[in-house]
Amino acid sequence: MTKQSFIKGALILLLAGVINRLLGFVPRIVLPRIMGAEGVGIYQLGYPFLSVMLTIVVGGIPLAVAKWIAEAESLGDTRRVKTIFRTAMTLTVTLSLSLTALLVLFAPMIATNILPDARVYQTFLCMTPLVTIIGVSSIYRAYFQGKHNMIPTAASQVTETIIRIIFQLMLAGALLPYGLQWAAAGAMLGTVAGEIAGLVVTLYHYHRDRRRQPDPIEQAPDTTVPSLYKRRPAEPPVLRRLMHLSVPVTGSRLVGSLSYLLETIFTNRSLAAAGIAIGAATSQYGALQGMIVPLVLLPTALTYSLSISLIPTLSEAAARGDRELIHRRMHQSLRLSLVTGAPFVVVMTLFAEPLCRLIYNHADIAPLLRLIAPFGMFIYLQGPLQAALQALEKPGTALMNTFIGAGIKLVLIIQLASNPQLGIYGAAIAICINIVIVTALHGWSVARFVGYRIKLLDFVKVGTAMTIMGAFALWLMKGAWLPHEALNLMLASIGGIVLYLIIMLLTGIVDRYDAVRLPIIGRFFK
């Protein structure tokens, strides 16, 4: 078994995440050109309901598995690892198959009476296998994450992305002559194909790992570990403890998923109340959730990798009572999230119009990107903060924070999106306010539980670097040094980012110690 350190594991997932996000923009760019914003809207409408079902199946169980396996591994208890995995897989398969059957049975009623556009029916049916496929994949990935081996997860994610892209574009184009609803359904079938491919890769790594494992009967738990690691004499049954660990996390994520579903329904209903036709409302929703939000979420490839690596690391540190390590890991993850996300925010805010025109061929959606992009900084910090609360066994707090933000967001959507003068911008404003509230609450909660506080000086340094970077990038863009807008945009973005990184090195936010840990180029900084 290849076990990686926190930073190395995060970097492996980061590399996979960057590849996935970059490749993932291929369908984001091409699908709007194949089936337009309205077709993208139909495709997106099914996802909120799928998100709710997936949250029930994989919301908290994989997190509990990763955390618990990390603890069992620290004890050297191979038998316990096997029991945890089998129990979690049985529970997940049972839940996922039951929910899939319910989705198929009630699909006509859901598409007609709950979701705001009945044309989503074909897409909805095509997405139902994802509940079981993703559910099973999540347990295998959690198994490897608990063992601090991020390579299988990274490999499966990249494979899933490549296969998904190929089949999405191929099937969407092939089914377009039959109508937008069938083109959207074809794109969803491409997603199913990708998830199946990712599962196959994970299964390959799992079976290879099992062949390397010693017989659990021959391997006794390590008795040399500190007393804090020793198993309690009367440990609860596996299923009971698994439910105890996973249910609060599932509840927290279910609030977010239900909020996403209600956001979809309320946004479309509110736009209709503002006098916007169903087709136009679907198109505007597709632009917001299918084009703008994915662009803003691009840097979360890093925050996701940090969050996944953070959970087992903080779990072990908390079990040892090592508060210093908790603070150090929190500082590393939040600093890297802040530093990495900042230049993306600058580029998306300043160059929203050319980005939307060149990527999506829809310059009219640029004001939406310009509105949401600055709030991306809060999104990038939110992931590690929420992971910390879960790793520290405070999922109830994360649940309450998410619930408060979701409630405020939904009320604001009804109030603002139904205003004819705001329309879809009202929904975007509500989403931005929700992001700020939830991130602030998570940060306050982490400070309360472990005494960690984000260093304000880091924000000052990054903010100054962003300002200087923005001014330099604008100067390069307005200079029009190159013959094509795309080339000038690339020059301005790369030039600004290079200057930003230089400032980060000079101010000490990024140092040689961080550079040494980078893959491939790290050896040049030793």
Side-chain angles (χ1 to χ4, degrees):
M1 168 62 67
T2 303
K3 183 174 180 178
Q4 298 102 26
S5 66
F6 166 68
I7 292 294
K8 186 175 180 180
L11 287 173
I12 289 172
L13 289 179
L14 170 59
L15 180 60
V18 169
I19 293 172
N20 288 340
R21 294 304 170 94
L22 293 176
L23 290 176
F25 263 90
V26 174
R28 297 287 182 187
I29 294 170
V30 179
L31 282 178
R33 299 171 188 267
I34 293 175
M35 53 188 186
E38 188 173 353
V40 172
I42 297 171
Y43 173 75
Q44 288 291 142
L45 282 177
Y47 268 110
F49 213 98
L50 175 64
S51 177
V52 173
M53 298 297 103
L54 286 175
T55 300
I56 296 173
V57 175
V58 303
I61 297 175
L63 175 66
V65 170
K67 173 182 169 59
W68 202 0
I69 285 180
E71 294 174 359
E73 281 282 304
S74 68
L75 285 165
D77 194 345
T78 308
R79 185 193 300 274
R80 196 68 171 170
V81 170
K82 190 174 182 179
T83 304
I84 294 166
F85 176 80
R86 286 181 173 177
T87 305
M89 183 62 74
T90 301
L91 178 61
T92 299
V93 170
T94 303
L95 276 174
S96 60
L97 290 177
S98 301
L99 289 175
T100 300
L102 290 174
L103 284 178
V104 173
L105 182 63
F106 292 102
M109 185 271 290
I110 294 170
T112 304
N113 300 323
I114 298 179
L115 297 176
D117 193 326
R119 291 177 297 173
V120 76
Y121 174 69
Q122 289 85 352
T123 303
F124 192 90
L125 274 182
C126 291
M127 78 180 188
T128 52
L130 289 173
V131 177
T132 301
I133 298 168
I134 295 176
V136 172
S137 294
S138 68
I139 302 301
Y140 282 110
R141 291 177 180 178
Y143 167 84
F144 286 111
Q145 289 159 12
K147 288 174 169 285
H148 297 272
N149 182 10
M150 306 303 171
I151 291 175
T153 298
S156 64
Q157 287 174 345
V158 173
T159 303
E160 180 271 324
T161 300
I162 294 172
I163 300 300
R164 172 170 54 84
I165 291 170
I166 294 171
F167 280 88
Q168 272 188 336
L169 301 182
M170 183 174 63
L171 294 174
L175 295 176
L176 181 61
Y178 299 97
L180 286 178
Q181 64 269 36
W182 284 106
M188 186 60 73
L189 284 175
T191 302
V192 174
E195 291 294 344
I196 292 173
L199 175 59
V200 170
V201 171
T202 310
L203 285 171
Y204 164 75
H205 282 278
Y206 175 76
H207 288 294
R208 191 174 69 169
D209 175 68
R210 294 303 299 167
R211 288 197 300 268
R212 294 177 178 176
Q213 293 297 313
D215 190 334
I217 296 176
E218 299 175 1
Q219 184 174 355
D222 187 359
T223 57
T224 63
V225 293
S227 60
L228 281 173
Y229 271 89
K230 291 183 180 179
R231 209 181 336 154
R232 290 181 290 272
E235 193 169 72
V238 174
L239 181 59
R240 187 192 305 170
R241 189 183 178 202
L242 185 64
M243 296 298 291
H244 174 74
L245 290 171
S246 63
V247 167
V249 178
T250 299
S252 176
R253 293 184 176 178
L254 192 58
V255 169
S257 298
L258 286 171
S259 167
Y260 184 29
L261 175 60
L262 293 175
E263 173 191 321
T264 301
I265 297 170
F266 287 2
T267 298
N268 282 268
R269 306 289 187 200
S270 298
L271 292 175
I276 300 173
I278 291 178
T282 301
S283 178
Q284 290 184 9
Y285 177 80
L288 176 62
Q289 292 292 347
M291 301 181 191
I292 299 301
V293 171
L295 196 59
V296 176
L297 293 180
L298 183 62
T300 58
L302 171 68
T303 58
Y304 171 78
S305 64
L306 288 171
S307 300
I308 294 297
S309 295
L310 197 61
I311 290 170
T313 301
L314 289 187
S315 296
E316 292 183 359
R320 291 197 300 267
D322 191 346
R323 180 165 288 201
E324 181 182 350
L325 179 59
I326 292 174
H327 285 200
R328 188 163 65 249
R329 291 293 182 248
M330 287 298 305
H331 180 63
Q332 281 180 325
S333 59
L334 291 173
R335 177 167 55 89
L336 288 172
S337 298
L338 180 67
V339 169
T340 307
F344 286 89
V345 169
V346 174
V347 170
M348 288 186 289
T349 303
L350 294 181
F351 306 131
E353 185 172 339
L355 279 172
C356 291
R357 180 168 51 250
L358 293 170
I359 294 176
Y360 299 123
N361 197 28
H362 281 277
D364 54 308
I365 64 175
L368 273 175
L369 178 59
R370 194 175 294 114
L371 170 64
I372 297 177
F375 294 91
M377 292 301 298
F378 293 92
I379 299 175
Y380 311 146
L381 294 174
Q382 190 177 120
L385 289 171
Q386 181 158 326
L389 289 174
Q390 293 166 352
L392 297 171
E393 296 192 2
K394 300 295 180 182
T397 302
L399 169 61
M400 183 55 64
N401 295 344
T402 306
F403 181 78
I404 292 170
I408 294 172
K409 176 182 68 174
L410 294 175
V411 170
L412 289 175
I413 285 176
I414 296 172
Q415 294 288 326
L416 300 177
S418 59
N419 184 338
Q421 295 181 336
L422 292 175
I424 194 66
Y425 293 95
I429 292 170
I431 292 171
C432 293
I433 293 174
N434 166 70
I435 293 167
V436 174
I437 291 173
V438 174
T439 304
L441 289 174
H442 283 352
W444 179 76
S445 299
V446 170
R448 182 161 58 95
F449 290 127
V450 297
Y452 176 80
R453 288 172 175 79
I454 300 174
K455 297 182 179 180
L456 294 180
L457 183 59
D458 289 350
F459 282 91
V460 173
K461 291 179 179 179
V462 172
T464 302
M466 291 172 68
T467 303
I468 297 172
M469 169 194 167
F472 182 63
L474 274 176
W475 177 73
L476 289 175
M477 188 68 179
K478 291 181 178 178
W481 308 94
L482 299 173
H484 194 276
E485 182 183 42
L487 296 176
N488 282 297
L489 176 61
M490 187 178 300
L491 173 65
S493 301
I494 294 175
I497 290 173
V498 169
L499 178 60
Y500 169 83
L501 292 175
I502 292 172
I503 297 172
M504 289 293 95
L505 289 169
L506 293 176
T507 56
I509 291 288
V510 177
D511 55 24
R512 188 179 66 85
Y513 178 76
D514 297 313
V516 165
R517 292 173 174 265
L518 293 174
I520 302 175
I521 65 172
R523 62 179 183 273
F524 296 111
F525 295 91
K526 291 183 179 180

